[in-house]
């Protein structure tokens, strides 16, 4: 039985993955995503001061939005993120040592995998979600092949997902997807054209839910 947090991730369909070299940019991107209706966002460990960004968002939104941190490589980073209050942790690969401390804290762990052997390792280690990364290397056909032999695994492909192809991944068996750089128009973001960005990001969300 999925936990309420896992149910939220699955129902939100798309998790914005925010990877920026500036904390203010990350906060702005998060604000756009949350105002557009997304119920979960992932910050990357590579954002300068990411833990402060996480804490600021928690102060602003409380528990109304699931806040995750990704690109985590080991249990030490996981522990720091958990102390800062993250709801879910994400690794690009098989950092299975993240799973025990994450579960002890009552949070979710999304572990990266690509091959069938890696999916087996992740699921045996009790990962809540297997993040197929990089998704575009194998495409929807690769995910569909994995789904065929792992029917009960929760899959989140990430990497190269966009509004135009995400339904190919849903049809292939994705429970939800991560969308990174394609979520925001670069020119509009640089200009801080909030109205344009909100409209486009809302459109992505609507498309994910089959209402566009």
């Amino acid at each position: 039985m999925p936990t309420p947090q896992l149910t939220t991730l699955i129902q939100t369909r798309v998790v914005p993955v925010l990877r920026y070299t500036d904390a203010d940019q990350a906060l702005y991107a998060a604000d756009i995503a949350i105002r557009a209706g997304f119920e979960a966002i992932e910050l990357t460990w590579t954002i300068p001061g990411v833990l402060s960004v996480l804490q600021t968002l928690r102060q602003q939104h409380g528990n109304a939005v699931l806040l995750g941190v990704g690109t985590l490589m080991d249990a030490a980073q996981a522990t720091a993120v958990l102390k800062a209050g993250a709801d879910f942790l994400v690794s690009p690969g098989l950092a299975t040592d993240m799973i025990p401390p994450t579960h002890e804290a009552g949070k979710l762990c999304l572990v990266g995998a690509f091959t069938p052997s890696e999916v087996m390792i992740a699921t045996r280690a009790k990962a809540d979600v297997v993040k197929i990364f990089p998704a575009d290397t194998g495409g929807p056909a690769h995910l569909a092949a994995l789904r065929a032999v792992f029917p009960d695994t929760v899959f989140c492909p990430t990497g190269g997902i966009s509004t135009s192809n995400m339904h190919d991944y849903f049809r292939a068996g994705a429970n939800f997807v991560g969308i990174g750089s394609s979520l925001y128009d670069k020119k509009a973001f640089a200009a801080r054209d909030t109205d344009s960005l909100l409209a486009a990001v809302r459109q992505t969300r609507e498309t994910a839910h089959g209402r566009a």
Side-chain angles (χ1 to χ4, degrees), residues 82-181:
L82 289 167
K83 287 181 178 178
D87 296 304
F88 63 97
L89 281 63
V90 189
S91 174
L94 284 172
T96 54
D97 58 335
M98 287 172 36
I99 299 174
T102 303
H103 285 174
E104 286 170 15
K107 308 300 181 181
L108 298 175
C109 197
L110 288 65
V111 173
F114 190 79
T115 67
S117 294
E118 291 169 347
V119 174
M120 288 177 66
I121 292 169
T123 55
R124 286 174 177 173
K126 306 300 183 185
D128 299 289
V129 178
V130 175
K131 170 183 172 176
I132 301 302
F133 180 81
D136 57 347
T137 302
H142 177 71
L143 176 62
L146 292 173
R147 171 57 73 203
V149 292
F150 300 104
D152 300 322
T153 299
V154 179
F155 284 121
C156 173
T158 304
I161 312 292
S162 66
T163 303
S164 62
N165 68 15
M166 61 183 169
H167 278 286
D168 294 333
Y169 287 92
F170 291 140
R171 285 189 289 269
N175 296 93
F176 61 103
V177 300
I179 295 185
S181 60

Side-chain angles (χ1 to χ4, degrees), residues 178-191:
I179 295 185
S181 60
S182 70
L183 186 61
Y184 302 96
D185 179 84
K186 290 179 174 58
K187 289 184 178 179
F189 193 91

Side-chain angles (χ1 to χ4, degrees), residues 6-90:
L6 181 54
T7 297
T8 296
L9 286 179
I10 293 171
Q11 290 178 345
T12 200
R13 301 282 274 171
V14 173
V15 175
V17 180
L18 310 183
R19 182 182 302 277
Y20 293 95
T21 57
D22 177 88
D24 288 338
Q25 288 181 335
L27 283 168
Y28 180 67
D31 180 66
I32 294 293
I34 293 167
R35 289 171 61 186
F38 285 100
E39 299 169 277
I41 60 170
E42 177 189 332
L43 307 166
T44 64
W45 180 261
T46 52
I47 296 169
V50 65
L51 300 184
S52 294
V53 173
L54 173 66
Q55 291 165 339
T56 297
L57 291 172
R58 180 67 73 204
Q59 290 167 1
Q60 292 173 344
H61 301 284
N63 295 319
V65 179
L66 291 182
L67 300 174
V69 178
T71 324
L72 298 176
M73 302 297 180
D74 54 42
Q77 291 178 347
T79 298
V81 167
L82 289 167
K83 287 181 178 178
D87 296 304
F88 63 97
L89 281 63
V90 189

